[in-house]
Amino acid sequence: MMRQRNQAASRTGGHAVRLEAVSKVYGKGASAVQALRGVSITLPYSTFTAVMGPSGSGKSTLLQLAAGLDRPTSGRAWIGLVDLSKLSETRLTELRRDRVGFVFQAFNLMPSLTVEQNVTLPLRLAGRRADGRLVAELLGRVGLTERRRHRPAELSGGQQQRAALARALITQPEVLFADEPTGALDLRTGREVLGLFRELVDTLGQTVVMVTHDPVAASYTDTVLFLTDGRLVDGLDHPTAEAVAERMTTLAGADEVARC
C-alpha cells in the first residue's frame, strides 16, 4: 500500500521539495538575525538528503521552511507541485497533515496512549479511519508488532523513536522530514533507526530530508547539503562518514574565521 503511493508520487516527475532563493530574517532593525540567505535547492523524489552545518548555520530553519512549518521572508518553497506561498494558513495546515511527515529528536508520544493509538493519532485528529492493514504493516516494518499495546513508558528510547517514525508514516506522506532523529539515542540504536530510514527510501520510494550533526548518520543518505551562516556552500553525493567529517571540520574552521 505504501509502496504504491510513494512510487506514484515519484512517477509524476519534478521534485519532492524545491526552494527558490529562500531567505529568512528573524526580528527587525539592529537585532535582526538572517537565518537563511537566498538558498535554492531541488530534492528529487525517492531520495535521502542530509542537511548539515555548524551550529547556527540555518539547518533547522531550512527544514521548517521546506516543510511549511514557517514562511520565508522572501523566496518560495514547493512540496511537489504545490507552491506553499500561495496557501492560506488553513490549507498549509492541511498539507502538513496529509502530505508531510515529521520525526524529531524528542519522540513526542502521548504517554497515556498505546503504541498503536499513538501511531494512528494523526488520522484520528483528521477525522479519518485508520486502515488496519496499513497499521499492521507499519508496526511490522518498525519492529513493534509485539509492542503495539504498550505505552511509551514501557518502551526503550529506540522503540519510542520507531513508534514516532510509524506515526509519521501513517498518512503515507510525500516527504518525511527528520530533525536530529538519532540525537537522543545511543550509537547502536541510532544506527537501527537510520537503517529504517534507508530501507524506506530503497524499498518504498519514500523521500526523506534529515537535519543532523552526525557524520555517521549522514553516511546513510544519498546526498549531504552543507550550510554556513545561512548559505548553501557545498554538497556531497554518496557520502562516507570520513568525507563528511572532513568537510564539516573545514566548514567549522571557515565559519569561526568569518565570525572573528
Side-chain angles (χ1 to χ4, degrees), residues 164-188:
L165 176 55
R167 179 184 59 193
L169 294 170
I170 192 65
T171 60
Q172 302 183 69
E174 274 188 52
V175 186
L176 179 62
F177 292 95
D179 195 352
E180 300 283 4
T182 62
L185 305 177
D186 61 60
L187 182 60
R188 180 184 63 81

Side-chain angles (χ1 to χ4, degrees), residues 52 214-224 226 236-248:
M52 303 189 74
D214 181 7
V216 172
S219 71
Y220 283 76
T221 69
D222 301 306
T223 301
V224 183
F226 296 95
L236 181 64
D237 293 329
H238 313 296
T240 64
E242 294 76 14
V244 172
E246 180 179 353
R247 199 71 56 92
M248 285 292 292

